[in-house]
């Protein structure tokens, strides 16, 4: 498979930069010597366009840097989280200039400004050596006219400095006069300082697919469970199964946002590289997640092909990504029709707790497939398919706690029931968190059975949320909120509000303005709400209006279908497993607080109480999903309802609002 070979070729040690030297040494070096260093480390075939751009860049920098008294220059500095490289970084005094060149450009396009700001945000958020310093975005459009600088906006990363080939030095000099202090950066220490990224799952999938390792794109600081450790543990389990001809199932658990999906994608990617004949696949029943990840990989693959000599069409990219990420239901339906042994030796089931119970599968098969008397749960059938192998195979189940949001979702128990009853010879690996924490497993018989028959591995649990790099405590905070523990929630929030703001608002326009003002560069924000929030329609928020998740999550700021427009609302079904930087959570009274949480569903023209405990759990979990989607902060909007609308009693919105205030959240 060509794309596997491409991944292997790209999977080289990521140099921080292609070229680094003091400004003084840079000025002394011959331009072809510098070009040779750049070409040596370039992963793709060097085309004339890139070569000429570098030569022009070197020429301009040599001309403009002649008057600089000091500084360190970097070419093509790596930003692994984004899968990109910055044209230049200049360290001078205590300032970090992020310089993006647009050779031949006669204007200062917004997309280029956004790109430059994104690089700055990445350094500020994830590069330890940049945290305490001023990072300045500088866009060089070589043939553009001079312009007035947005100095105030630059200090808040709302705009970039802009210059051309003739006034680059003048702009740098003015920035030094305005922002620098007597402190000096140590270039060596800065370049070697730790890079601790927390990519979105979209960014992570793209980076892994391009050949980055999980070590490069995941945090590894003390106190955080390193995804690489968990990935290596699962790799060891797979190799052990292969060596001993053992059929194995492995449960990987974790709190919301801990990186389970990232771990799963990494495992699938690693097995593809380990042996081209040993097929592996990432399976998910989450349709929106599959669609978004596939589309992101397709777009990224086509974009990267344009930068190389490789000829790759969109249809080529679509075919390759379908072999890497599949919808679990398509996998299931294929093997319903065939008794063949799967080509895949390793399958990773994302959100395995959402696999269907027997009754749900039976009804689906009868109504949609015309199959009567189907008597297996989805976990049982999926295990039976992999059990067709005569030698070895491995199932990796990625399991989130409290993530079941739909009727018929089985949780962990259905997997254990199938193993206990039909497949006792399979080797089972788990973390004891699956027994100790009630969000995973509550059946006492299953708790006892897994402890007696499984192998406990502590590294198979990810206990820290890395979705929100601003605060690792978000999932714990939301757990307290949803358990009605206002004081406990407030105590946590008081330790994290500066890093991760959660605001309350009763005016939708104000809420939208707050979220727009917070986001910088291409940081994505969007409007989300419960699929049961039917009376938000009175506020112009129609949860029944279906979105295309790939457009919502991937399209640019000027596309009305994108999340940025704050017009199309995404529900828990659209966003589960994905994330955005800032969210506006619109809260309806399908879940309201009156001394405890109360549950309603809007049927026809009126609200009806939800009495089934299972459906109450699904609704609470829906709000858990919504409240854990934002990486950097959120605003929770509760309407001030019209007193003349009897379907929207103000007292219920107010009581929920007051409870959330008791949790310590700020008001705007």
């Amino acid at each position: 498979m060509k794309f596997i070979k491409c991944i292997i070729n790209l999977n080289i040690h990521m140099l921080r930069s292609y070229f680094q030297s003091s400004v003084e040494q840079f000025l002394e070096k011959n331009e072809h010597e510098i070009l040779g260093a750049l070409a040596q480390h370039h992963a793709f075939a060097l085309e004339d366009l890139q070569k000429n751009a570098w030569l022009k860049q070197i020429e301009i920098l040599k001309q403009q840097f002649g008057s600089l008294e000091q500084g360190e220059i970097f070419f093509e500095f790596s930003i692994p989280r984004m899968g990109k490289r910055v044209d230049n970084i200049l360290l001078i005094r205590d300032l970090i200039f992020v310089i993006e060149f647009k050779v031949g450009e006669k204007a200062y396009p917004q997309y280029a400004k956004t790109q430059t700001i994104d690089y700055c945000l990445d350094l500020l958020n994830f590069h330890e050596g940049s945290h305490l310093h001023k990072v300045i975005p500088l866009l060089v459009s070589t043939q553009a006219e001079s312009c007035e600088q947005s100095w105030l906006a630059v200090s808040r990363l709302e705009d970039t400095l802009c210059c051309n080939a003739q006034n680059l030095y003048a702009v740098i000099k003015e920035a030094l006069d305005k922002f620098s202090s007597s402190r000096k950066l140590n270039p060596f220490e800065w370049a070697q300082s730790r890079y601790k990224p927390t990519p979105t799952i979209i960014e992570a999938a793209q980076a892994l697919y391009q050949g980055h390792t999980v070590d490069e794109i995941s945090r590894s600081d003390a106190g955080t469970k390193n995804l690489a450790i968990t990935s290596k543990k699962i790799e060891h389990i797979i190799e052990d199964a292969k060596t001993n001809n053992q059929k194995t199932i492995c449960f990987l658990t974790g709190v919301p946002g801990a990186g389970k999906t990232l771990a799963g994608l990494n495992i699938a990617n690693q097995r593809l590289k380990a042996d081209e004949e040993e097929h592996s696949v990432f399976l998910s029943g989450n349709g929106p997640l599959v669609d978004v990840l596939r589309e992101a990989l397709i777009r990224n693959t086509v974009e990267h092909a344009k930068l190389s000599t490789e000829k790759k069409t969109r249809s080529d990219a679509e075919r390759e990504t379908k072999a890497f990420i599949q919808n679990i239901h398509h996998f299931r339906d294929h093997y319903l029709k065939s008794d063949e042994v799967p080509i895949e030796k390793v399958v990773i089931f994302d959100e395995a707790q959402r696999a269907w119970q027997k009754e749900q599968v039976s009804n689906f098969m009868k109504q949609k497939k015309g199959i009567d008397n189907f008597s297996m749960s989805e976990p049982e059938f999926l295990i039976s398919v992999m059990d067709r192998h005569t030698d070895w195979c491995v199932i990796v189940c990625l399991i989130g706690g409290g993530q079941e949001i739909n009727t018929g979702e089985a949780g962990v128990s259905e997997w254990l029931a199938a193993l206990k009853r039909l497949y006792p010879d399979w080797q089972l690996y788990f973390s004891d968190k699956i027994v100790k924490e009630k969000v995973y497993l509550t059946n006492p018989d299953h708790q006892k059975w897994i402890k007696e028959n499984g192998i406990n591995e502590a590294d198979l649990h990810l206990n820290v949320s890395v979705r929100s790099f601003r605060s690792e405590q978000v999932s714990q905070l939301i757990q307290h909120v949803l358990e009605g523990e206002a004081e406990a929630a407030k105590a946590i929030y008081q330790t994290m509000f500066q890093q991760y703001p959660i605001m309350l608002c009763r005016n939708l326009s104000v809420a939208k303005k707050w979220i727009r003002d917070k986001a910088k560069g291409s940081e994505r924000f969007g409007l989300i709400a419960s699929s049961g929030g039917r009376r938000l329609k009175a506020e112009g928020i129609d949860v029944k209006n279906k979105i295309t998740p790939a457009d919502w999550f991937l399209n640019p700021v000027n596309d009305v279908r994108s999340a940025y427009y704050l017009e199309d609302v995404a529900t828990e079904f659209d966003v589960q497993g994905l994330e955005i930087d800032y969210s506006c959570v619109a809260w309806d009274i399908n879940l309201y607080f009156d001394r405890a949480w109360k549950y309603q569903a809007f049927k026809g023209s009126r609200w009806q109480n939800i009495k089934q405990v299972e459906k109450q759990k699904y609704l609470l979990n829906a709000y858990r999903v919504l409240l854990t989607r934002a990486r950097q902060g959120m605003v929770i909007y509760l309407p001030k309802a019209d007193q003349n609308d009897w379907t929207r009693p103000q007292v219920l919105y107010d009581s929920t609002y007051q409870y959330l205030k008791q949790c310590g959240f700020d008001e705007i």
Side-chain angles (χ1 to χ4, degrees), residues 339-439:
D339 292 330
E340 67 186 278
V341 176
I343 189 173
E344 297 86 2
K345 301 291 281 188
V346 178
V347 293
I348 298 95
F349 291 127
D350 192 32
E351 297 180 8
Q353 79 284 350
R354 295 186 63 192
W356 287 351
Q357 298 166 345
K358 182 173 70 175
E359 294 77 11
Q360 185 76 5
V361 182
S362 178
N363 290 337
F364 175 84
M365 293 298 177
K366 186 174 183 178
Q367 295 172 12
K368 301 293 185 180
K369 304 293 181 180
I371 301 174
D372 292 323
N373 303 317
F374 190 88
S375 59
M376 286 189 279
S377 68
E378 200 163 38
E380 181 181 331
F381 178 71
L382 294 170
I383 297 172
S384 75
V385 169
M386 293 303 291
D387 195 59
R388 296 175 188 177
H389 285 286
T390 57
D391 49 3
W392 73 279
C393 64
V394 176
I395 295 174
V396 181
C397 292
L398 311 180
I399 296 169
Q403 298 287 292
E404 302 92 343
I405 59 174
N406 212 350
T407 301
E409 293 179 353
V412 180
S413 285
E414 205 67 51
W415 291 92
L416 295 179
L419 290 167
K420 179 181 177 182
R421 190 172 72 256
L422 298 169
Y423 303 102
D425 293 335
W426 276 57
Q427 187 72 268
L428 168 63
Y429 291 87
F430 71 102
S431 157
D432 63 358
K433 292 287 186 182
I434 209 168
V435 176
K436 292 180 178 179
E437 298 188 5
K438 60 185 179 182
V439 292

Side-chain angles (χ1 to χ4, degrees), residues 256 351 354 401-405 467 478 482 528 571-578 583 585 618-630:
E351 297 180 8
R354 295 186 63 192
Q403 298 287 292
E404 302 92 343
I405 59 174
R467 171 176 293 133
I478 298 307
L482 295 179
I528 60 179
T571 72
E572 68 272 20
F573 299 111
D574 300 312
V575 301
Q576 188 172 42
L578 295 158
S583 65
V585 181
Y618 293 148
L619 179 53
L620 202 67
N621 285 344
Y623 274 86
R624 188 192 315 278
V625 168
L626 297 172
L627 294 168
T628 55
R629 290 311 95 189

